[in-house]
PDB file of all heavy atoms in Angstrom:
ATOM      1  N   SER A   1      46.537  72.416 -35.874  1.00  0.00           N
ATOM      2  CA  SER A   1      45.577  72.635 -34.790  1.00  0.00           C
ATOM      3  C   SER A   1      46.228  73.460 -33.706  1.00  0.00           C
ATOM      4  O   SER A   1      47.444  73.621 -33.635  1.00  0.00           O
ATOM      5  CB  SER A   1      45.102  71.304 -34.206  1.00  0.00           C
ATOM      6  OG  SER A   1      46.098  70.681 -33.411  1.00  0.00           O
ATOM      7  N   ARG A   2      45.404  73.982 -32.831  1.00  0.00           N
ATOM      8  CA  ARG A   2      45.893  74.644 -31.625  1.00  0.00           C
ATOM      9  C   ARG A   2      45.993  73.606 -30.532  1.00  0.00           C
ATOM     10  O   ARG A   2      45.771  72.411 -30.764  1.00  0.00           O
ATOM     11  CB  ARG A   2      44.957  75.798 -31.255  1.00  0.00           C
ATOM     12  CG  ARG A   2      44.904  76.886 -32.307  1.00  0.00           C
ATOM     13  CD  ARG A   2      44.041  78.077 -31.855  1.00  0.00           C
ATOM     14  NE  ARG A   2      43.989  79.102 -32.881  1.00  0.00           N
ATOM     15  CZ  ARG A   2      44.834  80.089 -33.010  1.00  0.00           C
ATOM     16  NH1 ARG A   2      45.853  80.181 -32.138  1.00  0.00           N
ATOM     17  NH2 ARG A   2      44.722  81.001 -33.992  1.00  0.00           N
ATOM     18  N   ARG A   3      46.364  74.059 -29.318  1.00  0.00           N
ATOM     19  CA  ARG A   3      46.556  73.127 -28.203  1.00  0.00           C
ATOM     20  C   ARG A   3      45.253  72.324 -27.976  1.00  0.00           C
ATOM     21  O   ARG A   3      44.175  72.853 -27.972  1.00  0.00           O
ATOM     22  CB  ARG A   3      46.959  73.901 -26.953  1.00  0.00           C
ATOM     23  CG  ARG A   3      47.219  73.021 -25.766  1.00  0.00           C
ATOM     24  CD  ARG A   3      48.147  73.689 -24.791  1.00  0.00           C
ATOM     25  NE  ARG A   3      49.525  73.660 -25.311  1.00  0.00           N
ATOM     26  CZ  ARG A   3      50.432  74.605 -25.022  1.00  0.00           C
ATOM     27  NH1 ARG A   3      50.121  75.554 -24.201  1.00  0.00           N
ATOM     28  NH2 ARG A   3      51.652  74.493 -25.514  1.00  0.00           N
ATOM     29  N   LEU A   4      45.435  71.016 -27.794  1.00  0.00           N
ATOM     30  CA  LEU A   4      44.290  70.102 -27.685  1.00  0.00           C
ATOM     31  C   LEU A   4      43.931  69.830 -26.240  1.00  0.00           C
ATOM     32  O   LEU A   4      44.766  69.939 -25.347  1.00  0.00           O
ATOM     33  CB  LEU A   4      44.608  68.778 -28.383  1.00  0.00           C
ATOM     34  CG  LEU A   4      45.009  68.891 -29.858  1.00  0.00           C
ATOM     35  CD1 LEU A   4      45.435  67.526 -30.406  1.00  0.00           C
ATOM     36  CD2 LEU A   4      43.881  69.459 -30.699  1.00  0.00           C
ATOM     37  N   ASN A   5      42.651  69.479 -26.024  1.00  0.00           N
ATOM     38  CA  ASN A   5      42.191  69.118 -24.697  1.00  0.00           C
ATOM     39  C   ASN A   5      41.216  67.967 -24.852  1.00  0.00           C
ATOM     40  O   ASN A   5      41.041  67.397 -25.933  1.00  0.00           O
ATOM     41  CB  ASN A   5      41.524  70.308 -23.996  1.00  0.00           C
ATOM     42  CG  ASN A   5      40.433  70.955 -24.839  1.00  0.00           C
ATOM     43  OD1 ASN A   5      39.676  70.248 -25.526  1.00  0.00           O
ATOM     44  ND2 ASN A   5      40.336  72.245 -24.801  1.00  0.00           N
ATOM     45  N   GLY A   6      40.617  67.578 -23.739  1.00  0.00           N
ATOM     46  CA  GLY A   6      39.696  66.421 -23.781  1.00  0.00           C
ATOM     47  C   GLY A   6      38.497  66.624 -24.680  1.00  0.00           C
ATOM     48  O   GLY A   6      37.911  65.637 -25.120  1.00  0.00           O
ATOM     49  N   ASP A   7      38.149  67.858 -24.945  1.00  0.00           N
ATOM     50  CA  ASP A   7      36.987  68.114 -25.822  1.00  0.00           C
ATOM     51  C   ASP A   7      37.303  68.075 -27.300  1.00  0.00           C
ATOM     52  O   ASP A   7      36.416  67.840 -28.119  1.00  0.00           O
ATOM     53  CB  ASP A   7      36.371  69.470 -25.466  1.00  0.00           C
ATOM     54  CG  ASP A   7      35.810  69.525 -24.049  1.00  0.00           C
ATOM     55  OD1 ASP A   7      35.365  68.449 -23.544  1.00  0.00           O
ATOM     56  OD2 ASP A   7      35.880  70.623 -23.426  1.00  0.00           O
ATOM     57  N   THR A   8      38.544  68.316 -27.647  1.00  0.00           N
ATOM     58  CA  THR A   8      38.939  68.432 -29.051  1.00  0.00           C
ATOM     59  C   THR A   8      39.838  67.299 -29.510  1.00  0.00           C
ATOM     60  O   THR A   8      40.081  67.168 -30.716  1.00  0.00           O
ATOM     61  CB  THR A   8      39.656  69.765 -29.307  1.00  0.00           C
ATOM     62  OG1 THR A   8      40.835  69.834 -28.459  1.00  0.00           O
ATOM     63  CG2 THR A   8      38.740  70.933 -29.003  1.00  0.00           C
ATOM     64  N   ILE A   9      40.341  66.481 -28.641  1.00  0.00           N
ATOM     65  CA  ILE A   9      41.314  65.454 -29.021  1.00  0.00           C
ATOM     66  C   ILE A   9      40.745  64.471 -30.021  1.00  0.00           C
ATOM     67  O   ILE A   9      41.408  64.007 -30.946  1.00  0.00           O
ATOM     68  CB  ILE A   9      41.863  64.718 -27.774  1.00  0.00           C
ATOM     69  CG1 ILE A   9      42.948  63.719 -28.193  1.00  0.00           C
ATOM     70  CG2 ILE A   9      40.726  64.034 -27.012  1.00  0.00           C
ATOM     71  CD1 ILE A   9      44.139  64.362 -28.802  1.00  0.00           C
ATOM     72  N   ASP A  10      39.446  64.122 -29.879  1.00  0.00           N
ATOM     73  CA  ASP A  10      38.834  63.162 -30.766  1.00  0.00           C
ATOM     74  C   ASP A  10      38.734  63.657 -32.212  1.00  0.00           C
ATOM     75  O   ASP A  10      38.545  62.825 -33.148  1.00  0.00           O
ATOM     76  CB  ASP A  10      37.410  62.767 -30.278  1.00  0.00           C
ATOM     77  CG  ASP A  10      37.470  61.954 -28.981  1.00  0.00           C
ATOM     78  OD1 ASP A  10      38.544  61.329 -28.739  1.00  0.00           O
ATOM     79  OD2 ASP A  10      36.482  61.950 -28.238  1.00  0.00           O
ATOM     80  N   LEU A  11      38.844  64.973 -32.417  1.00  0.00           N
ATOM     81  CA  LEU A  11      38.816  65.486 -33.799  1.00  0.00           C
ATOM     82  C   LEU A  11      40.130  65.228 -34.537  1.00  0.00           C
ATOM     83  O   LEU A  11      40.140  65.244 -35.779  1.00  0.00           O
ATOM     84  CB  LEU A  11      38.530  67.006 -33.759  1.00  0.00           C
ATOM     85  CG  LEU A  11      37.220  67.414 -33.096  1.00  0.00           C
ATOM     86  CD1 LEU A  11      37.140  68.937 -33.017  1.00  0.00           C
ATOM     87  CD2 LEU A  11      36.024  66.867 -33.871  1.00  0.00           C
ATOM     88  N   TYR A  12      41.218  65.015 -33.801  1.00  0.00           N
ATOM     89  CA  TYR A  12      42.532  64.901 -34.444  1.00  0.00           C
ATOM     90  C   TYR A  12      43.250  63.593 -34.153  1.00  0.00           C
ATOM     91  O   TYR A  12      44.266  63.307 -34.820  1.00  0.00           O
ATOM     92  CB  TYR A  12      43.416  66.060 -33.950  1.00  0.00           C
ATOM     93  CG  TYR A  12      42.856  67.417 -34.285  1.00  0.00           C
ATOM     94  CD1 TYR A  12      42.108  68.108 -33.339  1.00  0.00           C
ATOM     95  CD2 TYR A  12      43.054  68.008 -35.518  1.00  0.00           C
ATOM     96  CE1 TYR A  12      41.617  69.395 -33.631  1.00  0.00           C
ATOM     97  CE2 TYR A  12      42.553  69.263 -35.835  1.00  0.00           C
ATOM     98  CZ  TYR A  12      41.838  69.953 -34.868  1.00  0.00           C
ATOM     99  OH  TYR A  12      41.331  71.194 -35.174  1.00  0.00           O
ATOM    100  N   ALA A  13      42.810  62.803 -33.208  1.00  0.00           N
ATOM    101  CA  ALA A  13      43.487  61.570 -32.838  1.00  0.00           C
ATOM    102  C   ALA A  13      42.674  60.356 -33.216  1.00  0.00           C
ATOM    103  O   ALA A  13      41.455  60.309 -33.017  1.00  0.00           O
ATOM    104  CB  ALA A  13      43.759  61.557 -31.330  1.00  0.00           C
ATOM    105  N   ASN A  14      43.347  59.340 -33.755  1.00  0.00           N
ATOM    106  CA  ASN A  14      42.687  58.089 -34.095  1.00  0.00           C
ATOM    107  C   ASN A  14      43.776  57.019 -34.222  1.00  0.00           C
ATOM    108  O   ASN A  14      44.659  57.126 -35.068  1.00  0.00           O
ATOM    109  CB  ASN A  14      41.944  58.208 -35.422  1.00  0.00           C
ATOM    110  CG  ASN A  14      41.115  56.973 -35.743  1.00  0.00           C
ATOM    111  OD1 ASN A  14      41.276  55.916 -35.123  1.00  0.00           O
ATOM    112  ND2 ASN A  14      40.251  57.072 -36.758  1.00  0.00           N
ATOM    113  N   GLU A  15      43.713  56.021 -33.342  1.00  0.00           N
ATOM    114  CA  GLU A  15      44.772  55.010 -33.361  1.00  0.00           C
ATOM    115  C   GLU A  15      44.757  54.146 -34.617  1.00  0.00           C
ATOM    116  O   GLU A  15      45.725  53.424 -34.876  1.00  0.00           O
ATOM    117  CB  GLU A  15      44.674  54.148 -32.132  1.00  0.00           C
ATOM    118  CG  GLU A  15      43.384  53.325 -32.027  1.00  0.00           C
ATOM    119  CD  GLU A  15      43.356  52.410 -30.849  1.00  0.00           C
ATOM    120  OE1 GLU A  15      44.439  52.044 -30.384  1.00  0.00           O
ATOM    121  OE2 GLU A  15      42.241  52.075 -30.361  1.00  0.00           O
ATOM    122  N   HIS A  16      43.695  54.193 -35.379  1.00  0.00           N
ATOM    123  CA  HIS A  16      43.587  53.458 -36.639  1.00  0.00           C
ATOM    124  C   HIS A  16      43.464  54.388 -37.838  1.00  0.00           C
ATOM    125  O   HIS A  16      43.005  53.955 -38.907  1.00  0.00           O
ATOM    126  CB  HIS A  16      42.434  52.471 -36.604  1.00  0.00           C
ATOM    127  CG  HIS A  16      42.523  51.467 -35.466  1.00  0.00           C
ATOM    128  ND1 HIS A  16      43.516  50.518 -35.389  1.00  0.00           N
ATOM    129  CD2 HIS A  16      41.726  51.298 -34.377  1.00  0.00           C
ATOM    130  CE1 HIS A  16      43.336  49.782 -34.299  1.00  0.00           C
ATOM    131  NE2 HIS A  16      42.241  50.241 -33.649  1.00  0.00           N
ATOM    132  N   GLY A  17      43.784  55.681 -37.662  1.00  0.00           N
ATOM    133  CA  GLY A  17      43.584  56.647 -38.719  1.00  0.00           C
ATOM    134  C   GLY A  17      44.786  56.896 -39.530  1.00  0.00           C
ATOM    135  O   GLY A  17      45.632  55.989 -39.800  1.00  0.00           O
ATOM    136  N   THR A  18      44.962  58.150 -39.986  1.00  0.00           N
ATOM    137  CA  THR A  18      46.100  58.517 -40.835  1.00  0.00           C
ATOM    138  C   THR A  18      47.379  58.573 -39.982  1.00  0.00           C
ATOM    139  O   THR A  18      47.358  58.429 -38.751  1.00  0.00           O
ATOM    140  CB  THR A  18      45.836  59.886 -41.482  1.00  0.00           C
ATOM    141  OG1 THR A  18      45.741  60.899 -40.438  1.00  0.00           O
ATOM    142  CG2 THR A  18      44.563  59.879 -42.304  1.00  0.00           C
ATOM    143  N   HIS A  19      48.465  58.834 -40.662  1.00  0.00           N
ATOM    144  CA  HIS A  19      49.751  58.922 -39.966  1.00  0.00           C
ATOM    145  C   HIS A  19      49.754  60.025 -38.893  1.00  0.00           C
ATOM    146  O   HIS A  19      50.157  59.793 -37.748  1.00  0.00           O
ATOM    147  CB  HIS A  19      50.868  59.147 -41.012  1.00  0.00           C
ATOM    148  CG  HIS A  19      52.239  59.269 -40.421  1.00  0.00           C
ATOM    149  ND1 HIS A  19      52.745  58.344 -39.530  1.00  0.00           N
ATOM    150  CD2 HIS A  19      53.228  60.223 -40.591  1.00  0.00           C
ATOM    151  CE1 HIS A  19      53.988  58.706 -39.178  1.00  0.00           C
ATOM    152  NE2 HIS A  19      54.266  59.835 -39.801  1.00  0.00           N
ATOM    153  N   ALA A  20      49.300  61.234 -39.275  1.00  0.00           N
ATOM    154  CA  ALA A  20      49.268  62.310 -38.317  1.00  0.00           C
ATOM    155  C   ALA A  20      48.322  62.018 -37.184  1.00  0.00           C
ATOM    156  O   ALA A  20      48.623  62.361 -35.996  1.00  0.00           O
ATOM    157  CB  ALA A  20      48.892  63.601 -39.015  1.00  0.00           C
ATOM    158  N   GLU A  21      47.159  61.401 -37.460  1.00  0.00           N
ATOM    159  CA  GLU A  21      46.209  61.091 -36.391  1.00  0.00           C
ATOM    160  C   GLU A  21      46.764  60.074 -35.412  1.00  0.00           C
ATOM    161  O   GLU A  21      46.531  60.160 -34.220  1.00  0.00           O
ATOM    162  CB  GLU A  21      44.920  60.573 -37.025  1.00  0.00           C
ATOM    163  CG  GLU A  21      44.113  61.645 -37.764  1.00  0.00           C
ATOM    164  CD  GLU A  21      42.916  61.066 -38.513  1.00  0.00           C
ATOM    165  OE1 GLU A  21      42.889  59.816 -38.717  1.00  0.00           O
ATOM    166  OE2 GLU A  21      42.038  61.831 -38.863  1.00  0.00           O
ATOM    167  N   ARG A  22      47.565  59.160 -35.911  1.00  0.00           N
ATOM    168  CA  ARG A  22      48.178  58.161 -35.036  1.00  0.00           C
ATOM    169  C   ARG A  22      49.260  58.801 -34.164  1.00  0.00           C
ATOM    170  O   ARG A  22      49.442  58.375 -33.010  1.00  0.00           O
ATOM    171  CB  ARG A  22      48.732  56.994 -35.834  1.00  0.00           C
ATOM    172  CG  ARG A  22      47.676  56.200 -36.590  1.00  0.00           C
ATOM    173  CD  ARG A  22      48.261  54.977 -37.247  1.00  0.00           C
ATOM    174  NE  ARG A  22      47.235  54.257 -38.023  1.00  0.00           N
ATOM    175  CZ  ARG A  22      47.230  52.936 -38.191  1.00  0.00           C
ATOM    176  NH1 ARG A  22      48.204  52.184 -37.658  1.00  0.00           N
ATOM    177  NH2 ARG A  22      46.298  52.375 -38.944  1.00  0.00           N
ATOM    178  N   LEU A  23      49.956  59.766 -34.688  1.00  0.00           N
ATOM    179  CA  LEU A  23      50.989  60.441 -33.891  1.00  0.00           C
ATOM    180  C   LEU A  23      50.327  61.242 -32.771  1.00  0.00           C
ATOM    181  O   LEU A  23      50.805  61.218 -31.609  1.00  0.00           O
ATOM    182  CB  LEU A  23      51.804  61.374 -34.785  1.00  0.00           C
ATOM    183  CG  LEU A  23      52.734  60.706 -35.800  1.00  0.00           C
ATOM    184  CD1 LEU A  23      53.372  61.760 -36.706  1.00  0.00           C
ATOM    185  CD2 LEU A  23      53.836  59.921 -35.087  1.00  0.00           C
ATOM    186  N   VAL A  24      49.234  61.935 -33.066  1.00  0.00           N
ATOM    187  CA  VAL A  24      48.512  62.687 -32.019  1.00  0.00           C
ATOM    188  C   VAL A  24      47.968  61.699 -30.993  1.00  0.00           C
ATOM    189  O   VAL A  24      48.027  61.959 -29.794  1.00  0.00           O
ATOM    190  CB  VAL A  24      47.417  63.514 -32.649  1.00  0.00           C
ATOM    191  CG1 VAL A  24      46.607  64.221 -31.562  1.00  0.00           C
ATOM    192  CG2 VAL A  24      47.992  64.555 -33.601  1.00  0.00           C
ATOM    193  N   ASP A  25      47.431  60.583 -31.459  1.00  0.00           N
ATOM    194  CA  ASP A  25      46.885  59.619 -30.525  1.00  0.00           C
ATOM    195  C   ASP A  25      47.981  59.024 -29.639  1.00  0.00           C
ATOM    196  O   ASP A  25      47.770  58.771 -28.447  1.00  0.00           O
ATOM    197  CB  ASP A  25      46.207  58.515 -31.317  1.00  0.00           C
ATOM    198  CG  ASP A  25      45.612  57.412 -30.406  1.00  0.00           C
ATOM    199  OD1 ASP A  25      44.531  57.660 -29.835  1.00  0.00           O
ATOM    200  OD2 ASP A  25      46.239  56.342 -30.281  1.00  0.00           O
ATOM    201  N   ALA A  26      49.165  58.815 -30.189  1.00  0.00           N
ATOM    202  CA  ALA A  26      50.277  58.291 -29.395  1.00  0.00           C
ATOM    203  C   ALA A  26      50.653  59.297 -28.308  1.00  0.00           C
ATOM    204  O   ALA A  26      50.935  58.886 -27.151  1.00  0.00           O
ATOM    205  CB  ALA A  26      51.496  57.989 -30.300  1.00  0.00           C
ATOM    206  N   CYS A  27      50.689  60.578 -28.636  1.00  0.00           N
ATOM    207  CA  CYS A  27      50.978  61.593 -27.610  1.00  0.00           C
ATOM    208  C   CYS A  27      49.938  61.540 -26.472  1.00  0.00           C
ATOM    209  O   CYS A  27      50.281  61.573 -25.298  1.00  0.00           O
ATOM    210  CB  CYS A  27      50.988  62.992 -28.253  1.00  0.00           C
ATOM    211  SG  CYS A  27      52.383  63.318 -29.319  1.00  0.00           S
ATOM    212  N   TRP A  28      48.682  61.448 -26.854  1.00  0.00           N
ATOM    213  CA  TRP A  28      47.621  61.499 -25.871  1.00  0.00           C
ATOM    214  C   TRP A  28      47.599  60.211 -25.006  1.00  0.00           C
ATOM    215  O   TRP A  28      47.387  60.275 -23.795  1.00  0.00           O
ATOM    216  CB  TRP A  28      46.270  61.694 -26.526  1.00  0.00           C
ATOM    217  CG  TRP A  28      45.229  62.258 -25.623  1.00  0.00           C
ATOM    218  CD1 TRP A  28      44.227  61.584 -25.014  1.00  0.00           C
ATOM    219  CD2 TRP A  28      45.114  63.622 -25.233  1.00  0.00           C
ATOM    220  NE1 TRP A  28      43.471  62.456 -24.250  1.00  0.00           N
ATOM    221  CE2 TRP A  28      43.973  63.709 -24.382  1.00  0.00           C
ATOM    222  CE3 TRP A  28      45.817  64.782 -25.536  1.00  0.00           C
ATOM    223  CZ2 TRP A  28      43.570  64.914 -23.803  1.00  0.00           C
ATOM    224  CZ3 TRP A  28      45.419  65.961 -24.989  1.00  0.00           C
ATOM    225  CH2 TRP A  28      44.314  66.032 -24.097  1.00  0.00           C
ATOM    226  N   THR A  29      47.859  59.090 -25.645  1.00  0.00           N
ATOM    227  CA  THR A  29      47.817  57.797 -24.911  1.00  0.00           C
ATOM    228  C   THR A  29      49.018  57.689 -23.975  1.00  0.00           C
ATOM    229  O   THR A  29      48.853  57.340 -22.801  1.00  0.00           O
ATOM    230  CB  THR A  29      47.828  56.642 -25.910  1.00  0.00           C
ATOM    231  OG1 THR A  29      46.702  56.765 -26.776  1.00  0.00           O
ATOM    232  CG2 THR A  29      47.775  55.304 -25.178  1.00  0.00           C
ATOM    233  N   LEU A  30      50.215  58.018 -24.472  1.00  0.00           N
ATOM    234  CA  LEU A  30      51.388  57.946 -23.603  1.00  0.00           C
ATOM    235  C   LEU A  30      51.360  58.968 -22.488  1.00  0.00           C
ATOM    236  O   LEU A  30      51.902  58.779 -21.417  1.00  0.00           O
ATOM    237  CB  LEU A  30      52.661  58.126 -24.415  1.00  0.00           C
ATOM    238  CG  LEU A  30      52.990  57.067 -25.499  1.00  0.00           C
ATOM    239  CD1 LEU A  30      54.210  57.455 -26.288  1.00  0.00           C
ATOM    240  CD2 LEU A  30      53.180  55.721 -24.865  1.00  0.00           C
ATOM    241  N   GLY A  31      50.664  60.091 -22.745  1.00  0.00           N
ATOM    242  CA  GLY A  31      50.566  61.158 -21.756  1.00  0.00           C
ATOM    243  C   GLY A  31      49.694  60.836 -20.570  1.00  0.00           C
ATOM    244  O   GLY A  31      49.617  61.631 -19.620  1.00  0.00           O
ATOM    245  N   GLN A  32      49.019  59.661 -20.576  1.00  0.00           N
ATOM    246  CA  GLN A  32      48.230  59.254 -19.415  1.00  0.00           C
ATOM    247  C   GLN A  32      49.118  59.000 -18.207  1.00  0.00           C
ATOM    248  O   GLN A  32      48.721  59.127 -17.072  1.00  0.00           O
ATOM    249  CB  GLN A  32      47.418  58.027 -19.728  1.00  0.00           C
ATOM    250  CG  GLN A  32      46.333  58.244 -20.798  1.00  0.00           C
ATOM    251  CD  GLN A  32      45.599  56.961 -21.135  1.00  0.00           C
ATOM    252  OE1 GLN A  32      45.966  55.879 -20.695  1.00  0.00           O
ATOM    253  NE2 GLN A  32      44.570  57.087 -21.946  1.00  0.00           N
TER     254      GLN A  32
END
């Protein structure tokens, strides 16, 4: 993916999804 924002993060992040989706979700959650 390209750089993510609030409009596109839900397409790639899921705390209960695949391994890559959980890594993206961890970045977004910790980045709060």
Side-chain angles (χ1 to χ4, degrees):
S1 72
R2 297 184 181 271
R3 182 155 286 154
L4 303 176
N5 54 38
D7 297 329
T8 59
I9 184 63
D10 290 337
L11 300 175
Y12 300 95
N14 186 348
E15 63 177 335
H16 301 296
T18 64
H19 179 50
E21 291 173 342
R22 295 187 184 211
L23 291 174
V24 176
D25 180 77
C27 289
W28 202 258
T29 303
L30 296 177
Q32 294 177 353

